Amino acid sequence: MTASAPPYELVIGLEVHVELATRSKMFCGCAARWFGAPPNTLTCPVCLGLPGALPVPNRRAIELSIQAGIALRCDTPPHTKFDRKNYMYPDLPKGYQISQFDLPLSVKGWLDVPGDGGGDKRVGIRRAHLEEDTARMVHGSEGGEQYSLLDFNRSGVPLLEIVSEPDLRSSAEALAYLERLREILVYAGVSEFRLEEGGGRFDTNVSIRFSEDGETRWPPQSEIKNLNSYRALEDAVPYEADRLWREWQAGGALRTRRGKITVGWSESRRATFLQRSKEEIEDYRYFPEPDLVALEPSVETVAALRAALPEMPADRRDRFARQYGLSAYDARILVADRAIADWYEAAVAAAPSRPKQVANWVTGELLRHLKERSVDLRDLTVRPSQLGTLVELVASGEISGKTAKDVLTRMWESGADPAEIVRARGLGQLSDEASLASAVDAVLAENPKAVADYVAGNQRALGALVGKVQSKLGGRANPAVVNRMLLEKVA
Ligand code: ADP
Ligand code: MG
Ligand code: ZN
């Protein structure tokens, strides 16, 4: 981070590729979850690109792609198709990738992300198209010899490419965009967005805009290919922007450049390196995939897919704040995980007038329990309605907040109902004066000095007396009632 603002405006557009959450690959029945599988065990003639093998499109992948588009407020054109994108590379056994060229599944959407200016910023989504992932290359060396190995497990995994407009103005905005995109795709069940398992990568387009001699200059962008972590983006973007600026000032090729270049990012050298300049950028000779028919999602299909989408996270956060009176912070924590948000709402259903208290228990005790015990929410013994009941027991004064925590500890262990635990263990709070009177009287008799201190104006002495009543009754006394009784008797 530089302290002073750079002398140019940064312009960023992202092409995000994510693997879809399907069981099988895009055009064959091989398993799509390749991460961790022994190399070349998830293959068949189709995804190995053997001659004569024919693709059969994965319906689920198409549905998920359409849903992703809808969630990103895109239009779903009535007529789309697959195309062949031709290039030669060892990770592409057919010599072409099946992708979508001029008629993608989704066009013209948008996404609101927290912008640098404070408020939300609307980022345009140019298009989202469906394609297949390539094989994985593993490079190494042995005895001075370099080698490359190919693992075809990833070959043919459904891949969605989401192309933004160049609306982002900083790495922070680009990261916020990725974060919001991830959230939406995960929420919609479209992708698990497992970057750490190689399930996604982004081509990051960077250009700089500035004025010189009274004119606006906006030389062509660099496309940083295949970044695979937020961290890499955070490092590569400012590096490339600065490099473009320095090149411009040094009178370099950027001044005469006619089109974009593609660069790679070297993690070890912490620098970009040139891959292809405009002149060398391939002509992919796209043409319609002759082995597949055109794809024409019906209005009914699109409507059904739209109806099947869950409420999106930003909408849900707004609703949580509105409907339950939660802080933006609580809404964010709860909504961050769809299953937690569902669990919370089920708990509120059992304590409808206490949404705030339920939120406190969920964001506090529940999340801590899940984290500390590495428990999956699905394996939890406690049902949401039981937490709702527990909250009601506290609200009605039946048990204290402190007792409730003990009860919850037992609930985690046994899955028993809170009321049942309170009854079986005699944990109910003592609120009626008759059951508190003898302890209150005894404490007053045993502590004349504290009583005198209080009468002399020492407020703290009263608290001490309440504490002594509590210790006589094992902490079960209702403190408000004890307080009131003490005041009445001392006065
Ligand atoms: P294509 O690759 O189809 O020729 P573009 O290069 O215009 O299309 O766009 C590809 C990606 O580059 C998009 O995500 C777009 O937002 C981004 N992009 C286009 N122009 C710029 C620019 N001047 N600066 C930064 N990003 C850009
Ligand atoms: Mg691309
Ligand atoms: Zn296969």
Side-chain angles (χ1 to χ4, degrees):
M1 279 273 149
T2 47
S4 60
Y8 50 80
E9 183 188 20
L10 188 54
V11 179
I12 303 170
L14 291 178
E15 298 165 82
V16 177
H17 305 73
V18 279
E19 292 182 354
L20 298 176
T22 57
R23 276 221 297 271
S24 57
K25 291 188 183 180
M26 188 59 226
F27 298 111
C28 61
C30 295
R33 239 187 201 258
W34 57 269
F35 185 79
N40 295 307
T41 52
L42 311 175
T43 62
C44 73
V46 172
C47 56
L48 287 172
L50 298 185
L54 287 174
V56 178
N58 181 330
R59 167 186 288 271
R60 190 72 194 128
I62 293 168
E63 290 173 348
L64 292 177
S65 299
I66 293 174
Q67 282 189 309
I70 295 170
L72 297 169
R73 332 263 179 174
C74 290
D75 297 335
T76 313
H79 180 80
T80 79
K81 66 176 167 65
F82 286 109
D83 299 278
R84 287 189 182 180
K85 178 178 179 179
N86 298 279
Y87 64 95
M88 293 305 257
Y89 206 68
D91 64 9
L92 196 64
K94 298 193 295 292
Y96 60 86
Q97 177 191 33
I98 303 180
S99 181
Q100 299 192 285
F101 180 48
D102 53 339
L103 298 173
L105 274 167
S106 307
V107 296
K108 287 193 264 171
W110 50 265
L111 176 57
D112 281 339
V113 306
D116 288 342
D120 269 358
K121 161 169 211 171
R122 186 151 295 184
V123 179
I125 307 288
R126 189 178 286 183
R127 56 184 282 159
H129 63 262
L130 182 54
E131 55 189 33
E132 52 178 342
D133 211 343
T134 57
R136 218 162 54 87
M137 291 185 75
V138 184
H139 307 284
S141 66
E142 204 176 275
E145 292 275 338
Q146 306 232 323
Y147 63 79
S148 295
L149 301 175
L150 278 166
D151 175 5
F152 285 91
N153 287 347
R154 199 180 70 181
S155 174
V157 171
L159 199 64
L160 185 68
E161 175 169 346
I162 301 138
V163 182
S164 86
E165 294 294 344
D167 291 340
L168 302 157
R169 293 290 171 271
S170 67
S171 330
E173 284 189 354
L175 290 175
Y177 168 82
L178 285 173
E179 194 47 49
R180 282 289 161 96
L181 186 64
R182 186 193 64 80
E183 187 180 72
I184 286 175
L185 296 183
V186 171
Y187 238 79
V190 164
S191 169
E192 292 172 72
F193 221 95
R194 280 178 284 111
L195 294 182
E196 62 298 340
E197 295 186 357
R201 51 221 92 106
F202 10 97
D203 300 336
T204 306
N205 294 267
V206 178
S207 65
I208 55 174
R209 188 160 51 188
F210 48 92
S211 63
E212 188 183 69
D213 307 330
E215 283 189 51
T216 298
R217 310 272 185 220
W218 193 10
Q221 80 255 35
S222 293
E223 179 177 350
I224 313 170
K225 297 296 267 185
N226 277 324
L227 296 177
N228 58 12
S229 69
Y230 297 149
R231 187 57 208 274
L233 183 142
E234 238 178 332
D235 293 340
V237 166
Y239 175 90
E240 186 62 10
D242 260 16
R243 193 190 67 73
L244 291 173
W245 175 242
R246 281 184 277 109
E247 185 178 315
W248 179 272
Q249 286 184 302
L254 188 57
R255 285 182 180 266
T256 51
R257 210 160 97 184
R258 300 291 296 275
K260 71 175 167 189
I261 57 166
T262 60
V263 300
W265 169 248
S266 163
E267 201 76 62
S268 54
R269 283 182 283 126
R270 316 198 60 69
T272 56
F273 55 91
L274 183 67
Q275 288 182 328
R276 280 184 286 273
S277 64
K278 164 77 177 169
E279 293 71 41
E280 302 151 346
I281 278 182
E282 294 102 320
D283 169 8
Y284 290 119
R285 294 177 293 114
Y286 278 101
F287 63 84
E289 167 59 62
D291 291 337
L292 293 168
V293 296
L295 206 64
E296 311 203 310
S298 70
V299 174
E300 294 76 31
T301 303
V302 175
L305 290 171
R306 178 186 300 276
L309 275 174
E311 184 180 23
M312 285 299 118
D315 300 333
R316 200 171 196 185
R317 277 190 292 268
D318 288 349
R319 180 170 63 80
F320 273 26
R322 219 173 41 240
Q323 179 178 345
Y324 301 130
L326 302 184
S327 66
Y329 177 81
D330 280 348
R332 189 158 56 75
I333 303 280
L334 290 170
V335 172
D337 181 329
R338 184 173 156 195
I340 295 286
D342 290 346
W343 205 96
Y344 166 73
E345 294 213 83
V348 171
S353 60
R354 316 269 167 203
K356 177 63 191 157
Q357 284 89 331
V358 176
N360 290 343
W361 284 93
V362 172
T363 57
E365 298 298 314
L366 174 67
L367 291 184
R368 183 165 50 241
H369 177 75
L370 296 178
K371 187 157 171 246
E372 281 174 4
R373 306 289 178 86
S374 312
V375 183
D376 192 297
L377 191 63
R378 280 168 304 193
D379 303 329
L380 203 63
T381 44
V382 174
R383 278 172 287 119
S385 63
Q386 293 176 309
L387 183 75
T389 308
L390 183 69
V391 168
E392 289 290 9
L393 289 176
V394 178
S396 66
E398 206 138 320
I399 56 174
S400 68
K402 185 176 166 305
T403 302
K405 286 196 182 172
D406 298 338
V407 172
L408 188 59
T409 304
R410 294 179 198 285
M411 288 164 70
W412 299 140
E413 286 156 10
S414 64
D417 272 332
E420 184 58 44
I421 295 171
V422 169
R423 204 174 318 123
R425 308 210 160 236
L427 297 172
Q429 190 160 258
L430 303 171
S431 297
D432 60 314
E433 301 202 0
S435 49
L436 296 170
S438 66
V440 169
D441 290 341
V443 164
L444 289 175
E446 288 160 16
N447 298 279
K449 169 134 182 9
V451 173
D453 286 350
Y454 175 69
V455 173
N458 180 353
Q459 287 292 330
R460 294 248 293 280
L462 187 69
L465 291 169
V466 175
K468 291 201 185 296
V469 174
Q470 285 292 23
S471 45
K472 276 193 189 301
L473 295 170
R476 291 171 55 212
N478 182 327
V481 178
V482 172
N483 229 14
R484 193 182 68 227
M485 290 170 71
L486 285 171
L487 283 176
E488 278 165 8
K489 300 203 179 206
V490 170

